[in-house]
């Protein structure tokens, strides 16, 4: 296949409309098609024009950093996978057979392992600071983006999340060759991508290949209360989290990004979508942080066929909140409409207001009507100008009870229409959304994916801010009103849920309905024949939905990949 034809086929694969099966929750039968090594999460779900299915095994053994003696994370794909040949779930491997990726059809081909030496002299998954020194090796690959460079050659771009509380992340560029019909890595021609031009990446998570062929990665960046960024406790020698007996009052360490830069990091430079242009070139790729997409805990994006409408999931949980400071909240479902097709540098950001169906709050039957609140219009250049105003803030500027960054009063002023400019809408997108009446109650809002007019949205678990018994948390003070269940007031379901929406020709979501719902069993684990804690999800052009788990051994024996069609 010629390269131009291959590129056209790649775009068609993601953009083609095939109406999916739209049965309600309980009427679909998920099929287990892969299992991970013990302790590993399913990540990197993506396809190419040939129909190859790419999958990573993230943090085997639960180890987010790779070092000698640790099972390395795996980058790979399923060669010869035939969805039509799989009609029932594969069995779960015996405990002594859980060292690798097992698949129901085809063969899992490992393309790379964390810690392997690359031709650049770097190691796969290595997080290198701006001076070029290795900080640590991530064992947590997530996003995979396949970029063809010829009929039998490609680059596989992979985002590496960092290592646990160390959020400084990495991107690898693995050179692939197709030999006798099978992809293999050319490590000698591979490297880690230099992220200095965008001040590094913070908690690089999932993403997509855009319909116009560029890798688009998400900065997940768990940081809700920006006032805590320059708190002295977050920059001293004690680097332990408060819940582990240390004095840090946030989960992700701000100090880590400063260590990466060699100077005090600016929090407003992290939490966006990152696009890689010229990705097919040997060494000429360029990176752009799209500040117009808003600062939040970006998980991934679903780009609709108009190439302007994009949905973002905001992945956070109120469970991470510090007891003294309001450092975390539930997430918001966002929409972005670009000014121009295929150009994310300017557009309008919206946040969803959820209205729950009347009834008893059963997550298997309860859906939501959605209206959209316009947060603001902006462009990268204007927003970067606002960001630069905070580059000089240091620990010495911290005053307890105040903030060196955008204050809640400034956010309230923006919501009231009296702010001097629109910075709050983009630099404090979640807090501003909540202040303007949007719903910030999603707990671990994970994957969002689409095919044609159909969008799927995954919530890892129905608990905390989504649980009607938990209450409603004030976005500013953190005070929880247990008498108010909030906009999302469901019965708890710790095994999670994937929703479905059918849009019109305007690609506007007005409704979410439950599609695939996990089920807690009598032992408090998750039913083995249903997906648990959905994370990476992927909609294929024929309407098939792939659901990857991040469940852990307390929920399922191993994390699994499911197919729903």
């Amino acid at each position: 296949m010629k390269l131009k034809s291959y590129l056209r086929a790649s775009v068609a694969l993601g953009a083609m409309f095939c109406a999916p099966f739209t049965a309600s929750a309980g009427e679909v039968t998920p099929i287990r098609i892969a299992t991970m090594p013990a302790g590993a999460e399913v990540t990197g779900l993506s396809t190419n024009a040939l129909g190859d299915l790419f999958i990573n095994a993230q943090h085997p053994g639960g180890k987010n950093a790779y070092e000698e003696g640790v099972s390395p994370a795996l980058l790979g794909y399923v060669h010869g996978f035939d969805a039509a040949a799989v009609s029932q779930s594969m069995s779960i491997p015996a405990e002594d057979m859980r060292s690798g990726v097992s698949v129901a059809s085809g063969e899992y081909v490992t393309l790379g392992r964390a810690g392997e030496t690359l031709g650049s002299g770097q190691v796969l998954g290595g997080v290198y600071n701006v001076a070029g020194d290795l900080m640590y090796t991530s064992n947590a690959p997530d996003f995979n983006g396949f970029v063809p460079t010829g009929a039998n050659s490609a680059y596989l771009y992979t985002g590496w999340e960092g290592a646990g509380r160390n959020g400084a992340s990495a991107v690898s560029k693995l050179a692939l060759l197709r030999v006798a019909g099978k992809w293999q890595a050319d490590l000698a021609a591979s490297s880690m991508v230099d992220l200095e031009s965008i001040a590094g990446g913070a908690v690089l998570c999932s993403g997509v290949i855009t319909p116009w062929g560029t890798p688009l990665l998400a900065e997940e960046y768990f940081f809700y209360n920006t006032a805590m960024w320059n708190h002295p406790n977050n920059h001293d020698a004690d680097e332990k989290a408060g819940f582990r007996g240390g004095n840090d009052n946030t989960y992700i360490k701000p100090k880590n990004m400063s260590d990466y830069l060699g100077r005090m990091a600016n929090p407003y430079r992290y939490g966006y979508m990152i696009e890689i242009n010229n990705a097919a070139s040997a060494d000429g790729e360029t990176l752009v942080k799209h500040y117009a997409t808003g600062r939040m805990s970006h998980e991934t994006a679903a780009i609709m066929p108009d190439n302007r409408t994009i949905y973002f999931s905001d992945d956070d949980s109120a469970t991470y909140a510090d007891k003294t400071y309001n450092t975390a909240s539930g997430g918001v479902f966002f929409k972005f409409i670009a000014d121009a097709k295929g150009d994310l540098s300017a557009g309008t950001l919206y946040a969803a207001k959820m209205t729950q169906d009347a009834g008893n709050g059963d997550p298997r039957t309860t859906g939501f009507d959605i209206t959209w609140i316009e947060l603001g219009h902006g462009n990268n250049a204007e927003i970067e100008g606002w960001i630069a105003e905070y580059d000089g803030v240091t620990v010495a500027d911290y005053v307890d009870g105040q903030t060196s960054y955008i204050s809640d009063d400034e956010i309230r002023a923006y919501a009231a229409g009296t702010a001097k400019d629109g910075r709050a809408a983009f630099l404090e997108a979640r807090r501003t959304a909540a202040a303007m009446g949007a719903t910030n109650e999603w707990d671990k809002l994970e994957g969002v994916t689409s095919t044609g007019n159909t969008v799927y949205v995954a919530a890892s678990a129905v608990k905390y801010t989504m649980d009607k018994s938990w209450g409603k948390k004030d976005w500013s003070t953190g005070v929880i009103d247990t008498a108010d269940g909030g906009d999302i007031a469901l019965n708890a379901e710790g095994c999670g849920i994937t929703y479905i929406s059918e849009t019109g020709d305007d690609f506007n979501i007005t409704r979410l309905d439950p599609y695939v719902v996990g089920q807690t069993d009598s032992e408090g684990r998750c039913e083995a024949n249903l997906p648990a804690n959905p994370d990476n999800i992927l909609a294929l052009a024929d309407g098939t939905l792939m659901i990857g788990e991040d469940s852990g051994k307390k929920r399922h024996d191993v994390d699994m990949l499911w197919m729903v069609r």
Side-chain angles (χ1 to χ4, degrees):
M1 184 183 294
K2 293 182 179 179
L3 178 57
K4 289 184 178 179
S5 297
Y6 195 112
L7 287 168
R8 285 195 296 269
S10 296
V11 171
L13 183 69
M16 183 193 314
F17 173 66
C18 294
F21 183 51
T22 57
S24 60
E27 295 179 1
V28 296
T29 303
I31 299 172
R32 185 188 305 112
I33 61 171
T35 63
M36 295 295 105
E41 175 186 342
V42 182
T43 62
L45 285 181
S46 59
T47 58
N48 60 15
L50 299 172
D52 297 319
L53 179 63
F54 291 84
I55 312 171
N56 299 332
Q58 185 188 79
H59 58 59
K63 301 296 185 181
N64 286 299
Y66 175 75
E67 57 188 10
E68 188 175 351
V70 169
S71 296
L74 306 177
L75 311 186
Y77 84 105
V78 184
H79 174 70
F81 177 75
D82 183 2
V86 182
S87 59
Q88 61 183 11
S89 288
M90 62 179 284
S91 60
I92 300 171
E95 191 168 354
D96 60 353
M97 298 293 289
R98 298 175 184 168
S99 60
V101 177
S102 299
V103 295
S105 172
E107 170 196 3
Y108 184 75
V109 177
T110 299
L111 299 171
R113 296 173 175 82
E116 288 186 318
T117 302
L118 306 177
S120 61
Q122 301 162 308
V123 295
L124 186 59
V127 178
Y128 294 86
N129 64 20
V130 296
D133 300 321
L134 179 65
M135 298 174 67
Y136 44 81
T137 301
S138 173
N139 206 35
D142 204 317
F143 164 77
N144 280 329
F146 182 93
V147 177
T149 58
N152 294 299
S153 62
Y155 288 118
L156 183 68
Y157 285 86
T158 300
W160 298 76
E161 278 194 14
R165 294 186 62 235
N166 288 318
S169 302
V171 176
S172 59
K173 182 181 181 181
L174 206 61
L176 302 183
L177 298 173
R178 192 164 177 251
V179 180
K182 184 181 292 188
W183 293 106
Q184 61 186 36
D186 181 0
L187 296 182
S190 302
S191 63
M192 301 302 295
V193 177
D194 186 355
L195 305 184
E196 183 179 1
S197 65
I198 55 170
V203 195
L204 293 180
C205 195
S206 190
V208 294
I209 291 290
T210 65
W212 49 95
T214 57
L216 185 67
L217 296 84
E219 280 187 300
E220 195 170 14
Y221 174 79
F222 306 106
F223 217 92
Y224 177 63
N225 190 350
T226 312
M228 294 295 99
W229 182 268
N230 64 331
H231 192 293
N233 286 0
N234 288 327
H235 297 271
D236 61 13
D238 179 355
E239 297 187 5
K240 289 184 179 180
F243 64 85
R244 290 182 175 168
N247 68 0
D248 284 13
N249 50 41
T250 60
Y251 181 72
I252 295 296
K253 298 187 296 187
K255 180 180 178 180
N256 183 240
M257 292 310 305
S258 297
D259 289 344
Y260 167 83
L261 291 171
R263 64 180 187 273
M264 184 72 181
N266 178 348
Y268 290 135
R269 295 202 175 275
Y270 308 102
Y272 305 93
M273 299 301 296
I274 301 170
E275 188 170 13
I276 303 178
N277 295 315
N278 303 314
S281 65
D283 56 9
E285 68 273 2
T286 58
L287 290 83
V288 178
K289 274 195 184 178
H290 287 299
Y291 302 120
T293 61
R295 175 175 169 264
M296 63 192 78
S297 296
H298 280 282
E299 173 77 14
T300 186
I303 302 174
M304 303 304 287
D306 63 355
N307 288 348
R308 292 184 59 213
T309 304
I310 307 175
Y311 292 99
F312 299 134
S313 47
D314 178 27
D315 179 7
D316 207 347
S317 173
T319 187
Y320 298 130
D322 182 82
K323 292 181 179 179
T324 303
Y325 303 100
N326 182 27
T327 57
S329 81
V332 173
F333 188 32
F334 287 95
K335 178 176 69 172
F336 177 77
I337 299 182
D339 288 355
K341 292 182 178 182
D343 182 358
L344 308 186
S345 66
T348 305
L349 189 63
Y350 299 81
K353 173 69 173 179
M354 319 285 294
T355 301
Q356 183 171 308
D357 294 345
N360 63 4
D362 183 350
R364 289 162 186 78
T365 58
T366 303
F368 299 88
D369 291 328
I370 293 181
T371 55
W372 295 95
I373 296 171
E374 181 176 333
L375 301 186
H377 177 274
N379 63 71
N380 286 350
E382 178 183 36
I383 298 166
E384 201 279 335
W386 295 329
I387 292 170
E389 294 179 21
Y390 303 92
D391 280 340
V393 174
T394 70
V395 172
D397 297 309
Y398 181 82
V399 177
D400 205 39
Q402 300 180 27
T403 182
S404 304
Y405 304 102
I406 296 172
S407 70
D408 287 358
D409 283 344
E410 290 176 279
I411 292 171
R412 292 186 186 96
Y414 181 80
T418 59
K420 63 180 181 179
D421 56 41
R423 69 183 65 195
F426 296 93
L427 305 188
E428 296 286 354
R430 191 192 308 167
R431 294 173 82 89
T432 300
M436 294 180 70
T439 302
N440 68 324
E441 298 168 22
W442 290 95
D443 186 71
K444 297 291 293 174
L445 185 61
E446 299 281 359
V448 56
T449 185
S450 62
T451 179
N453 294 65
T454 305
V455 182
Y456 302 94
V457 182
S460 181
V462 179
K463 58 183 182 179
Y464 300 112
T465 42
M466 296 178 71
D467 178 354
K468 66 184 180 184
S469 68
W470 196 80
K472 182 176 176 61
K473 183 177 183 179
D474 183 271
W475 70 269
S476 177
T477 66
V479 173
I480 299 172
D481 181 359
T482 57
D484 183 354
D487 293 345
I488 304 178
L490 300 170
N491 299 333
E493 178 45 80
C495 299
I497 183 168
T498 300
Y499 292 90
I500 187 172
S501 178
E502 298 285 359
T503 74
D505 291 339
D506 59 357
F507 305 114
N508 182 51
I509 290 178
T510 59
R511 176 80 186 168
L512 284 178
D513 286 295
Y515 185 58
V516 180
V517 186
Q519 183 173 334
T520 303
D521 65 21
S522 60
E523 297 179 353
R525 291 168 59 79
C526 295
E527 166 59 47
N529 291 317
L530 289 172
N533 308 118
D535 193 314
N536 269 219
I537 60 175
L538 176 67
L540 304 183
D542 67 354
T544 299
L545 177 66
M546 300 289 187
I547 301 176
E549 294 186 348
D550 179 14
S551 59
K553 62 183 180 181
K554 290 184 179 180
R555 294 293 189 177
H556 274 168
D557 290 342
V558 289
D559 282 12
M560 309 175 195
L561 176 63
W562 301 82
M563 177 175 68
V564 182
R565 58 187 179 196

